[in-house]
Structures are given as structure tokens and as C-alpha cells.
Amino acid sequence: MFSSGKVVQLFYDVASPYSWLAFEVLCRYRNVWNIDLKFKPAFLPGVIYGSGNQPAVMNPSKLTYIVSDLTLLSEYFGVPMFRPSDLSEKDTLSAMRFVTALAEKEKEGDMLVERVSRELWKRKWRTHQDITQPASLTEAGLKAGLSANVVKEILSLSKSQPIKDKLKSVTQEALEYKCFGFPFIVCQVNEKAKVFFGSDRFELMAYFMGEKWMGPHPNKPTAHM
Amino acid sequence: MFSSGKVVQLFYDVASPYSWLAFEVLCRYRNVWNIDLKFKPAFLPGVIYGSGNQPAVMNPSKLTYIVSDLTLLSEYFGVPMFRPSDLSEKDTLSAMRFVTALAEKEKEGDMLVERVSRELWKRKWRTHQDITQPASLTEAGLKAGLSANVVKEILSLSKSQPIKDKLKSVTQEALEYKCFGFPFIVCQVNEKAKVFFGSDRFELMAYFMGEKWMGPHPNKPTAHM
């Protein structure tokens, strides 16, 4: 397979709305920048506490800012989202094990990981539906195009020790890159590597890779870009 | 005086390298976007502790990231800076009182506040010279084009109670906008107002104002923009 020499790893958790923005932008730019985009489903509390960080939403001023920031960003990025009633409710362990199991199962490509992750973000940040219960994960899986049998298999697999260990090891991998929150993006271009935190470093990432940033809609430039 | 209806207030402290990036970008865009740019010299520890935040540099992973991030950002923004030996050394109280005194003295315009702030950032983040002692502030003032007499007057004024109170009140003003760090930018367009934190929201700010973001060099687009 042809390789452009540009590998971009996205460490994320569906608990993180900024990760959703980064995920959509990277999916849109995958072919534009010709990057080998690798999804790295991981567990946000693992990197927050593992790095000695504090959740931003615990600070009232930051929480106020994040709500205002996300409102404008989601409009500008074209990723509609709305604030769930409780922004600090972040129980995504089952959901991220579900995505991890799917990633392990889907050896060829990552189309299903992409679709299921998007459905989970939609439930959590747009329609405010549960993502902690098996029935909720089943619904998300079916909506993403998995068959009922595959959903059942992935659900069962997601509770196995190897999958629990896999999620831990990907989270640990992020910590080894000195990650302290998501989205965390590891960008490798030939011999060079650089990490980027947040959904606001794409212009800088493009500069690093020698590519062009055309705003959040590369295939549909807005009037303001 | 003609007003475009776009008022942009930049709350900053020369302790903050990200504030320097924001300051230079806003100075470059002042005429491009036709904004009424208002410098608001304030005191970083006042907003960090006043908002219950924690300095990012106290977290080892964040510190590693900030150094890497600033290295690439300063290159991309064309604002050369180098990491001082001790990034957590942030005693800028005298320096910010000096800038505040100058702002109070300079009723017409803010050219001197701009020049002196830039000299202080250069000393702290480029040449790693002291900015705590009167002799250092004098040097920065002279380099910025102040006369020896004016420097002397501003130094004396900077130690007065009204100036100490003024710096406190501008810092308090930032806290009232729910500020938790610098740069903190309050953007008012006619009836609408929005706050932006950091030096990575200019594209979003342009979208908010109905203006165009052309990268960090609006008058000299780079090959990658």
C-alpha cells in the first residue's frame, strides 16, 4: 500500500466534545492531506488523573468558558452539539471498551470504528441519550450499520479481560507521549514527530506537515475562509 | 472619531508568552479588521488564583507540551522566543505596574504601551534579561523610545497607590468576565460580545466578527496559508 509518510494518531474518548471536533476535521482532511489517520480510542479519566491534571470542568470559570467556546466552535466546525444537562457526567468506560472491541475485531480498515464513535458522540453531545447501558451501545451499533449479531459479539467481547487491558494499554501509550487530556494528536512526518493537544492546532499541524489549512470545511470553503 | 463598532480588549501580562503571540497578531490585524484594540495590562497570578485555576506549568506533562507548542508556534507566528531557564519564574508585578502607569499617563493613544510591553516580552522571552528591577524597566523604557525623564516619572508613578489600585481593578475586571488565564480577549461587535482565551482562537474570532483570518501574517501570507 502506498504510504505518504504522514501518520496521524488521534487519541480520544467520546466523553470529550473537543475530540469530536478534531475527529470530524481529521476525517474531512484524511484524503486532502493524504494522511494515514489512526483512531486510538482511549479513556479520558486515565490520562487526566494519570498525568496529575484536573478536569477543566471542575473550575467554574473554565466551565462557563467551555460552554461559550463550544457553542461557537460547533457552529463554525459544522458539528452541531448541545450541552448535556450535566457536563461533568462522563461515564464512558463501557462505551470506550465497546469501541476498543470493535477496533480489535475490525482488523482491516476502521470504517466501523469511525461510524460507531460518531454515533456515540451524537448520543452524548447532540441528542443527550445514554451511552452507559448495553441497550444504548446496541442502538448506537445498529445505527452505525453493524448487524445485530456483530453488535452482540462486540458487546460480549467488550467485557473480556483482553479488551479491558487493550483500552488500558492505549491509554498508557498516550501517557507515554506526555498526554494530559483529549484530543491528543501524534503527528509523524517521515523522521519528525510532534504532538498536538486540542481541536485548535490544525493550522499549526498543517504548517508542520507542509500542508495547507483551509478551515474546518476543506471541501466547502466558507465565506469567511 | 470613526468607529467600526468592533472593540477588542486584550487582557495580558508579560509573564505569558501566549499573550505575546496574541498581542502581535492583534497589532498586525488592527487595521486589517478595523478594530478598536484596547490594551488591558493586568496581573496573571491575580486571575489564576482569583479564578481558582492552577498554573499550567505546575503540571510536568503540560510543561513539556507548552515548551514544544511554543517552539513551533513562535516560528509559525514569526515571534522568536526561547524558553527561559525557569519557566515558572513569573515575577512581573513591577513590570505590569510600570505598564499600567504608562497607560494612565498616555491618555492619547497607546503606542508607548505597545512598545514598552513588546520590549518587556523580548527581555523575558527572547533575551532572558531581568524585568523585576528599576534599572531593567528603565532600559526597556529607553529602548521603547521614552525619554529618561519620562521613564523616571513613570517609575515613580508605578509605585503609587493609585497605580497599584488600577492594576488590581483591571485584573478584577478580567475576573468579572470569568477570566482564568491570559491572553483573555473580550470582543464586542455592535450588540454582541464574546470572550476568547488563548492565542488559538483568531480564526474563530474572525468568524464571529464577520472578518477574514489570513494566518498570523495578514500582510505577508506564508506559503502555507
Side-chain angles (χ1 to χ4, degrees):
Chain A
M1 188 187 148
F2 172 73
S3 164
S4 66
K6 286 174 285 195
V7 181
V8 175
Q9 298 180 81
L10 171 66
F11 289 87
Y12 69 96
D13 183 324
V14 295
S16 154
Y18 288 102
S19 293
W20 190 11
L21 300 178
F23 169 89
E24 295 298 352
V25 164
L26 288 174
C27 286
R28 291 171 195 169
Y29 271 93
R30 184 154 35 179
N31 294 330
V32 178
W33 286 344
N34 194 20
I35 52 177
D36 183 4
L37 177 59
K38 291 185 187 304
F39 298 124
K40 306 288 280 187
F43 190 50
L44 183 60
V47 295
I48 296 278
Y49 297 107
S51 65
N53 198 358
Q54 287 199 323
V57 294
M58 285 177 62
N59 180 292
S61 294
K62 282 190 181 176
L63 179 58
T64 301
Y65 181 72
I66 287 170
V67 171
S68 156
D69 189 43
L70 278 175
T71 303
L72 193 60
L73 276 175
S74 73
E75 178 188 313
Y76 182 56
F77 277 61
V79 182
M81 61 175 78
F82 310 99
R83 187 190 173 194
S85 52
D86 185 358
L87 201 68
S88 62
E89 193 2 280
K90 292 204 170 178
D91 180 7
T92 54
L93 188 56
S94 306
M96 293 319 290
R97 282 177 178 161
F98 187 73
V99 178
T100 301
L102 191 60
E104 284 298 282
K105 168 91 180 157
E106 190 185 26
K107 289 293 179 200
E108 305 287 322
D110 50 16
M111 201 179 60
L112 298 179
V113 168
E114 180 182 331
R115 283 200 204 149
V116 169
S117 299
R118 185 175 287 119
E119 283 307 321
L120 292 168
W121 266 307
K122 277 187 191 169
R123 290 179 73 91
K124 179 140 187 76
W125 295 100
R126 190 176 295 169
T127 55
H128 306 171
Q129 290 166 280
D130 173 75
I131 56 165
T132 66
Q133 300 303 313
S136 312
L137 300 176
T138 297
E139 234 178 71
L142 294 174
K143 209 160 176 191
L146 305 185
S147 70
N149 275 347
V150 169
V151 166
K152 210 171 156 187
E153 184 193 344
I154 298 296
L155 260 183
S156 162
L157 189 60
S158 74
K159 289 165 196 153
S160 71
Q161 198 56 46
I163 292 302
K164 292 179 182 176
D165 290 345
K166 178 68 187 180
L167 182 60
K168 270 187 204 160
S169 80
V170 175
T171 305
Q172 185 56 38
E173 202 184 320
L175 282 170
E176 279 158 20
Y177 282 115
K178 303 286 179 202
C179 173
F180 51 87
F182 291 150
F184 196 77
I185 302 165
V186 180
C187 192
Q188 283 162 297
V189 181
N190 302 319
E191 303 299 302
K192 297 186 298 174
K194 192 96 182 168
V195 298
F196 298 92
F197 168 66
S199 57
D200 43 36
R201 289 291 185 277
F202 296 115
E203 186 178 331
L204 193 64
M205 195 185 303
Y207 172 72
F208 174 72
M209 294 195 295
E211 293 289 347
K212 194 176 170 186
W213 170 246
M214 292 167 282
H217 305 277
N219 300 314
K220 185 188 70 177
T222 68
H224 299 299
M225 278 307 300
Chain B
M1 190 186 149
F2 172 73
S3 164
S4 66
K6 287 174 284 195
V7 181
V8 175
Q9 298 180 80
L10 171 66
F11 289 87
Y12 69 96
D13 183 323
V14 295
S16 156
Y18 288 101
S19 294
W20 190 10
L21 299 177
F23 169 89
E24 295 297 353
V25 164
L26 289 173
C27 286
R28 292 172 193 167
Y29 271 92
R30 183 154 35 179
N31 294 329
V32 178
W33 287 344
N34 194 20
I35 51 178
D36 184 4
L37 177 60
K38 293 188 186 299
F39 298 124
K40 305 287 281 189
F43 190 50
L44 183 61
V47 294
I48 295 278
Y49 296 107
S51 65
N53 197 359
Q54 288 198 322
V57 294
M58 283 177 63
N59 181 291
S61 294
K62 282 190 180 175
L63 179 57
T64 300
Y65 180 72
I66 288 171
V67 171
S68 157
D69 188 44
L70 279 175
T71 303
L72 193 60
L73 277 175
S74 74
E75 179 187 311
Y76 182 57
F77 276 62
V79 182
M81 59 175 78
F82 311 100
R83 186 188 174 193
S85 51
D86 184 358
L87 201 69
S88 62
E89 190 5 279
K90 291 202 170 178
D91 179 7
T92 54
L93 188 56
S94 305
M96 294 317 291
R97 283 178 177 162
F98 186 73
V99 178
T100 301
L102 191 61
E104 283 298 280
K105 167 89 181 159
E106 190 185 27
K107 289 292 177 198
E108 304 289 320
D110 50 17
M111 201 179 61
L112 298 179
V113 168
E114 180 182 331
R115 284 199 202 148
V116 168
S117 299
R118 184 175 287 119
E119 284 306 321
L120 292 169
W121 266 306
K122 277 188 191 169
R123 291 179 73 91
K124 177 139 189 76
W125 296 101
R126 188 176 296 169
T127 55
H128 306 171
Q129 290 167 281
D130 173 76
I131 57 166
T132 66
Q133 299 303 313
S136 311
L137 301 176
T138 298
E139 234 178 71
L142 293 174
K143 209 160 176 194
L146 304 186
S147 71
N149 275 347
V150 169
V151 167
K152 208 171 158 189
E153 183 192 343
I154 297 297
L155 261 182
S156 161
L157 188 60
S158 74
K159 291 167 195 151
S160 71
Q161 199 55 46
I163 290 304
K164 291 178 182 177
D165 291 345
K166 177 71 187 175
L167 181 60
K168 270 187 204 160
S169 79
V170 174
T171 304
Q172 186 56 38
E173 202 184 321
L175 282 169
E176 280 157 20
Y177 282 115
K178 304 286 178 200
C179 172
F180 51 87
F182 292 148
F184 197 77
I185 302 165
V186 181
C187 191
Q188 284 162 296
V189 182
N190 302 319
E191 303 298 301
K192 297 187 299 176
K194 191 96 182 166
V195 298
F196 298 91
F197 168 66
S199 56
D200 43 38
R201 290 291 185 277
F202 296 114
E203 187 177 331
L204 193 65
M205 195 185 303
Y207 172 72
F208 173 72
M209 294 195 296
E211 292 288 347
K212 195 177 169 184
W213 170 245
M214 293 167 281
H217 304 278
N219 300 315
K220 184 188 71 176
T222 68
H224 299 298
M225 280 306 302

